Amino acid sequence: MARDDALRAVAEERAKRCGLSLQGYVADLIEADVNQARAAFMAGAASFLAAYTDAFEAEVGEDRYPGPPAGQAQTSPGDVA
């Protein structure tokens, strides 16, 4: 039995034990992998933000996009009659 055939047989058996088709089992594995990667990314991003928040605040300040200058009307093209 070739390696690919043996691997497929194991995957089919595990899928069967889980009550899934082979396709459903593989989809679950991919989803778990993506969720693990997403969790690792979010943890890294949170760590980065925690470490560098003060530096960003010092460089760009709290209100980077304050809006239009004082006295200028805040209208959108849809507001014009």
Side-chain angles (χ1 to χ4, degrees):
M1 183 181 278
R3 179 175 180 249
D4 290 344
D5 293 337
L7 182 59
R8 182 182 180 100
V10 170
E12 287 173 341
E13 179 57 34
R14 289 189 181 180
K16 185 177 176 182
R17 280 190 270 146
C18 293
L20 298 168
S21 66
L22 180 58
Q23 182 178 355
Y25 179 69
V26 171
D28 283 357
L29 291 174
I30 293 168
E31 183 177 5
D33 184 54
V34 167
N35 287 338
Q36 183 179 2
R38 182 180 298 123
F41 172 81
M42 294 303 290
S47 176
F48 177 85
L49 287 174
Y52 293 99
T53 295
D54 292 340
F56 282 117
E57 289 294 324
E59 182 69 26
V60 297
E62 184 175 322
D63 194 1
R64 176 91 189 249
Y65 302 103
Q72 195 175 38
Q74 289 184 331
T75 61
S76 68
D79 293 337
V80 178

